[in-house]
Amino acid sequence: MDASLEKIADPTLAEMGKNLKEAMRMLEKSPRRTEEENGKKPVSEDIPGPLQGSGQDMVSILQLVQNLMHGDEDEEPQSTRIQNIGEQGHMALLGHSLGAYISTLDKEKLRKLTTRILSDTTLWLRRIFRYENGCAYFHEEEREGLAKICRLAIHSRYEDFVVDGFNVLYNKKPVIYLSAAARPGLGQYLCNQLGLPFPCLCRVPCNTMFGSQHQMDVAFLEKLIKDDVERGRLPLLLVANAGTAAVGHTDKIGRLKELCEQYGIWLHVEGVNLATLALGYVSSSVLAATKCDSMTLTPGLWLGLPAVPAVTLYKHDDPALTLVAGLTSNKPADKLRALPLWLSLQYLGLDGIVERIKHACHLSQRLQESLKKVDHIKILVEDELSSPVVVFRFFQELPASDSAFKAVPVSNIAPAAVGRERHSCDALNRWLGEQLKQLVPQCGLTVIDLEVDGTCVRFSPLMTAEGLGTRGEDVDQLITCIQSKLPVLTCTLQLREEFKQEVEGTAGLLYVDDPNWPGIGVVRYEHANDDDTSLKSDPEGEKIHTGLLKKLNELESDLTFKIGPEYKSMKSCIYIGMASDDVDVSELVETIAVTAREIEENSRLLENMTEVVRKGIQEAQVQLQKANEERLLEEGVLRQIPVVGSVLNWFSPVQASQKGRSFNLTAGSLESTEYTYVHKVQGTGVTPPPTPLGTRSKQRLPDGNQGAET
C-alpha cells in the first residue's frame, strides 16, 4: 500500500493514509482478517456506482477525495492551498481516526483511557494558560462553551430552576451583559440556545471620553447593574473581551472582576489575547483574566491545528450542576473530543507552543514598527508591546475645510463635516484592503467596518499565521505593497474634488455621488430626453453610455472605466477608477462631454434618417400604386385578360414608359427613375440640406470662459 500511496498527488492525503496504516498496525494485536468473496453479486441499476461490487481500496477513495477537494487541473492548480498543514496538523487529523478506533475497546479500557486523555489535556491547558483549579469543556462550536456556562450560571443562581423551570426566570428575569464590541451575533446565539427573550440581553457601550473606544465603559456598566437590581431583575453573567473580535483591545478585566464579585455576577472572558498567557511576559490587563470564572480558548487557530476543538476552562465545585448544564458527560465519545488536542500538545511540547504564539506576536510588532514609518497610515493599537492584532487605515491630511479626513475620531467631528468625505475614505480603504489581500495572501488580511473609525484593514497573525505559514518576509512584502499603493490613493483623493467641480461646471454632465466607489468619481451624461425625476432605467441613456465606455477604453490612459447603474437609481453611469499623477482632470471631463455629445448627435441623426427613409418608402408605395391605376385606365381592361390581352398587344402594341421611384439618401427626397432609364446613368439629385445638429450647448466654467456650439 505504501507504493500505492505515492501516487497520491496531495501530500497531506498521502501522509494521512500512511500514518493511519501505521497506527492501525501498532494498535492491533492480531492481523486483520480478510473475507474472501464467494462470487460477485449481480450489479443492480438501483445501486449507485461507487457502492457496486465488493468495494474500493483506500487509495482509490483518497484519490476521489483529492479530486473533490482540488477539482480539475485545468480549472484550479493543485499547488494552491488554503491552509498549511504541518506535522502537528497530521497529529490532529490522526486523532480523529484514532478516536474512532479507540471507541471499539471494551467499556473498562475505554473509560480509563478517555479519563486519562481528558484529565491530561485539562491539566496541560491549565498550566500553559495559568488557570488554576479549573475544569475543561471541549466543544466544536466556539460559542457553545459560553452557552453551557450560561446554563451553569442559571442553575447556580436559581435553585428551583430544575423543578419550576422558566417560571422562576419569569418572576426574576436574568440579565446577560455583553460589550458593544462583542462579536456579531453572540447575543442572539445565546438567547436561541437558552430559550431566553432578547430583553434579557444588555448591551454595554464602550468608552466615549477616556480610554480605548473599543473597551467596555465600566462606570456605565455599574449604572446598568444598579438599575436592573432596582427593577427586580437578576444580573447573571458578564462577557468581557481579552482582545475584541474587531481590533483586539482588552477590557479592564481587573475592574470588571471587582464589580462582578460585588453583585454576584459570573465573569466570562474570551478573545485572541488570551493566547499571550502562555508567554513569559503578559500585560496586567490580560493576566487578570486568570482570576475570572470561565474563559474560552481556541488553541487550534493559535497553533495551526486543523479540526481541533475549542476549550472552555471554568471553576465550579458542584459536579451535579455541571452535569445538568452539559459541561461534563459520562459518554466516552464526548471525552474523546480532547484526543486530537492531546496528541498535538504532546507533539509540540511547551517550547513549540510558546514559539508559535511568540512568532505571531513578533509578526504584529514587526508590522507596527514598519507602519509607523509610513505616511498616511493610522494604526489603531491599544498596547504596542503585547497586542497581537494590528488594525490600520489610510488617511489624508487635507486643509481645514476638509478636516473630516484627518486622523481624528469621527465622534469628535461635526456630523455635517463627515458625510461624503468619510464615505470616500472608507471606499479607498476598502480598495486598499482588497488589493493587499490579493498581493500578499500569506498575511491573511481582512477588511472590517468599525462604527467609530470606519473601514480598516486587520492583521491578526495569531488567528492565521500558522495556517498560512506567514513569515517576517511576508510582512516586509506587505509594507512594500502598502507604500506602492499610497501614491495612487493620495492622488485619487486629491483629484476627487477637482473632478466634481469640473463635472458640475460642464453642461450636459451630472456628478453622481457614490460613497462606495473608490475611484475618481462617477459621472452621467444627460441627454436631451433625460428625465431627472425618474429613477427607472433609461434605454437611450444606456445606449449613449455604452458607446461612451467603448470610446473611453480606446484612449491611451492608465485609467479604468466601467459602466453601471447609478447609486440611487437604475440609470447608467460611467465609473472612473483610481488615478495617478499624470491625469489631467479638465481634459478628461472635456473628453467625456464631447464624446458623449457626438454619440448623442450621431444617434439622433441616424434616427432622423431612419424616419425619413420610412416615410419615403411609404410615399413611393403610394405613387407606384397610383401609377398602376393610371396604366390600367390607359391600357383598358381587355389588355389585362391573359389571352385577349396578348392578342391585342400583338395587333396594337402599347408604347409605355418604365416609371419607378428612387430615394436620395443625401437629399432625403423621393425622385423618379425616368432620368436613369433615358440617359442610362443615375442622377446626382439636388444639393442636400445642412445636417441637423443638437440643440444642446456646451459651457466651460472653471476658467471663466464660455463657448457655445449649435
Side-chain angles (χ1 to χ4, degrees):
M1 178 178 171
D2 293 340
S4 300
L5 284 173
E6 294 178 358
K7 300 179 181 179
I8 304 298
D10 191 301
T12 302
L13 292 177
E15 191 69 14
M16 284 176 57
K18 180 180 178 181
N19 290 343
L20 181 60
K21 182 186 176 183
E22 293 295 329
M24 297 294 290
R25 182 184 295 122
M26 290 185 295
L27 293 175
E28 290 184 345
K29 297 180 180 179
S30 58
R32 181 182 178 183
R33 295 187 304 172
T34 59
E35 298 181 358
E36 298 182 357
E37 298 181 356
N38 297 326
K40 293 185 178 181
K41 297 182 179 180
V43 177
S44 174
E45 296 180 355
D46 297 333
I47 303 299
L51 302 183
Q52 294 181 358
S54 59
Q56 304 182 47
D57 57 78
M58 183 179 296
V59 177
S60 300
I61 298 175
L62 290 180
Q63 287 178 342
L64 175 61
V65 174
Q66 173 182 279
N67 295 335
L68 294 175
M69 290 173 56
H70 300 287
D72 298 334
E73 295 183 359
D74 297 337
E75 298 178 358
E76 182 179 354
Q78 295 189 4
S79 60
T80 59
R81 179 181 299 280
I82 298 177
Q83 182 172 345
N84 179 31
I85 300 178
E87 294 184 0
Q88 74 277 7
H90 294 154
M91 295 298 297
L93 297 176
L94 182 61
H96 292 273
S97 300
L98 291 178
Y101 175 76
I102 291 174
S103 63
T104 62
L105 299 176
D106 62 81
K107 292 184 178 180
E108 184 62 23
K109 289 184 178 180
L110 181 61
R111 183 188 62 81
K112 292 182 179 180
L113 182 56
T114 54
T115 302
R116 169 69 181 274
I117 292 173
L118 184 62
S119 60
D120 284 352
T121 311
T122 302
L123 176 63
W124 298 341
L125 291 173
R126 283 168 39 200
R127 295 290 175 85
I128 293 173
F129 296 101
R130 310 186 186 194
Y131 195 83
E132 299 180 358
N133 302 325
C135 303
Y137 172 65
F138 299 87
H139 45 94
E140 302 297 333
E141 220 291 336
E142 191 173 332
R143 302 170 296 183
E144 182 184 350
L146 177 56
K148 296 296 177 65
I149 290 296
C150 290
R151 292 185 185 275
L152 177 61
I154 291 176
H155 284 284
S156 301
R157 296 299 301 274
Y158 295 91
E159 297 180 357
D160 299 331
F161 180 74
V162 177
V163 179
D164 298 333
F166 284 95
N167 290 329
V168 180
L169 303 182
Y170 178 79
N171 297 328
K172 198 170 187 178
K173 295 182 177 60
V175 183
I176 300 176
Y177 300 92
L178 297 176
S179 171
R183 73 176 84 178
L186 179 60
Q188 182 178 0
Y189 173 83
L190 293 177
C191 288
N192 293 337
Q193 294 296 316
L194 302 173
L196 297 177
F198 288 148
C200 291
L201 294 176
C202 182
R203 184 175 183 268
V204 184
C206 296
N207 296 325
T208 55
M209 298 298 295
F210 304 101
S212 169
Q213 295 183 347
H214 301 277
Q215 284 182 343
M216 190 183 302
D217 191 335
V218 180
F220 199 90
L221 171 63
E222 186 173 7
K223 180 179 180 301
L224 292 174
I225 295 175
K226 291 180 179 179
D227 293 342
D228 290 331
V229 172
E230 292 176 358
R231 290 187 295 174
R233 307 177 72 181
L234 178 64
L236 180 67
L237 183 139
L238 170 65
V239 181
N241 292 299
T244 57
V247 298
H249 288 198
T250 302
D251 292 326
K252 299 176 181 178
I253 299 178
R255 180 70 182 93
L256 294 176
K257 179 59 179 176
E258 297 175 358
L259 193 62
C260 290
E261 291 178 348
Q262 179 181 350
Y263 290 93
I265 302 175
W266 186 288
L267 177 61
H268 179 84
V269 181
E270 61 180 17
V272 66
N273 291 354
L274 292 175
T276 60
L277 290 172
L279 303 180
Y281 170 79
V282 186
S283 64
S284 58
S285 59
V286 178
L287 188 61
T290 59
K291 306 299 180 182
C292 65
D293 299 301
S294 60
M295 66 167 65
T296 296
L297 310 174
T298 55
L301 294 175
W302 302 340
L303 304 177
L305 305 175
V308 167
V311 186
T312 295
L313 302 177
Y314 62 95
K315 298 176 182 178
H316 203 270
D317 299 330
D318 192 341
L321 291 183
T322 58
L323 182 62
V324 172
L327 288 168
T328 57
S329 174
N330 296 324
K331 298 179 180 180
D334 294 337
K335 296 181 180 180
L336 282 175
R337 291 178 184 172
L339 179 58
L341 191 56
W342 183 74
L343 295 173
S344 301
L345 292 178
Q346 293 182 81
Y347 182 85
L348 291 174
L350 180 62
D351 293 341
I353 296 171
V354 173
E355 180 62 28
R356 280 160 174 77
I357 298 176
K358 186 181 297 183
H359 171 67
C361 294
H362 286 170
L363 291 176
S364 296
Q365 295 175 8
R366 185 169 185 169
L367 180 61
Q368 291 176 31
E369 294 299 326
S370 300
L371 287 177
K372 291 179 182 178
K373 305 174 184 178
V374 180
D375 296 333
H376 309 299
I377 293 295
K378 175 188 176 183
I379 310 175
L380 309 177
V381 179
E382 176 192 21
D383 187 353
E384 297 182 358
L385 298 178
S386 62
S387 177
V389 180
V390 181
V391 179
F392 61 92
R393 72 192 306 264
F394 164 78
F395 77 99
Q396 175 72 39
E397 292 285 357
L398 294 178
S401 59
D402 296 323
S403 59
F405 272 93
K406 293 186 177 181
V408 296
V410 176
S411 57
N412 297 338
I413 305 173
V418 179
R420 177 171 52 83
E421 288 81 3
R422 162 68 184 270
H423 291 301
S424 298
C425 198
D426 288 347
L428 292 176
N429 278 281
R430 193 174 297 109
W431 176 86
L432 174 62
E434 295 299 332
Q435 290 290 315
L436 296 178
K437 287 169 59 177
Q438 296 178 6
L439 295 174
V440 197
Q442 298 83 3
C443 288
L445 300 175
T446 53
V447 180
I448 58 175
D449 292 320
L450 303 179
E451 183 178 357
V452 177
D453 300 284
T455 303
C456 302
V457 182
R458 178 178 61 200
F459 175 64
S460 183
L462 260 175
M463 305 298 287
T464 60
E466 286 301 320
L468 298 177
T470 310
R471 302 173 300 173
E473 294 79 4
D474 299 323
V475 176
D476 297 337
Q477 183 183 358
L478 175 61
I479 293 296
T480 303
C481 293
I482 293 175
Q483 292 175 338
S484 65
K485 299 299 179 182
L486 284 179
V488 179
L489 289 168
T490 54
C491 181
T492 300
L493 187 57
Q494 293 172 357
L495 293 178
R496 273 177 171 265
E497 187 63 28
E498 182 182 354
F499 178 78
K500 179 184 178 183
Q501 295 177 1
E502 288 287 338
V503 171
E504 291 178 346
T506 303
L509 296 183
L510 176 66
Y511 179 81
V512 179
D513 190 4
D514 189 341
N516 298 321
W517 179 247
I520 294 180
V522 186
V523 62
R524 178 162 65 88
Y525 177 73
E526 295 181 299
H527 56 88
N529 300 324
D530 194 359
D531 185 5
D532 296 335
T533 60
S534 176
L535 300 180
K536 299 181 180 179
S537 60
D538 181 15
E540 183 178 354
E542 183 176 357
K543 183 178 180 181
I544 295 175
H545 285 88
T546 302
L548 177 59
L549 176 65
K550 182 179 180 180
K551 293 292 185 181
L552 292 176
N553 286 330
E554 294 175 356
L555 299 176
E556 295 182 359
S557 173
D558 295 334
L559 292 174
T560 58
F561 303 93
K562 60 174 290 188
I563 189 174
E566 189 179 340
Y567 175 62
K568 296 181 179 180
S569 72
M570 298 302 295
K571 296 184 177 181
S572 298
C573 299
I574 296 296
Y575 289 77
I576 305 172
M578 309 295 286
S580 56
D581 293 334
D582 57 351
V583 174
D584 189 340
V585 175
S586 60
E587 182 180 352
L588 173 64
V589 175
E590 171 84 13
T591 302
I592 294 175
V594 172
T595 306
R597 187 176 296 107
E598 291 177 353
I599 294 175
E600 180 187 14
E601 292 174 350
N602 293 336
S603 176
R604 190 180 307 163
L605 177 61
L606 181 60
E607 292 176 358
N608 294 338
M609 183 62 67
T610 303
E611 181 67 19
V612 171
V613 171
R614 186 182 64 83
K615 291 182 178 180
I617 293 175
Q618 293 177 352
E619 183 180 353
Q621 291 176 345
V622 172
Q623 293 185 10
L624 290 176
Q625 184 178 0
K626 185 178 180 181
N628 289 333
E629 294 175 354
E630 293 177 352
R631 184 173 61 85
L632 179 62
L633 294 176
E634 180 181 351
E635 295 178 357
V637 179
L638 293 177
R639 292 183 182 273
Q640 309 306 318
I641 301 175
V643 179
V644 179
S646 299
V647 175
L648 290 177
N649 290 334
W650 183 74
F651 283 106
S652 177
V654 177
Q655 300 295 330
S657 62
Q658 296 180 350
K659 296 182 179 180
R661 298 293 184 270
S662 65
F663 187 77
N664 192 328
L665 292 176
T666 305
S669 61
L670 194 66
E671 300 175 355
S672 175
T673 59
E674 184 176 359
Y675 179 87
T676 303
Y677 286 110
V678 172
H679 299 281
K680 307 300 181 182
V681 294
Q682 190 170 359
T684 58
V686 298
T687 303
T691 302
L693 297 177
T695 57
R696 307 183 66 89
S697 62
K698 175 189 173 186
Q699 299 177 354
R700 299 291 302 160
L701 301 182
D703 56 357
N705 298 327
Q706 296 182 353
E709 294 180 0
T710 304

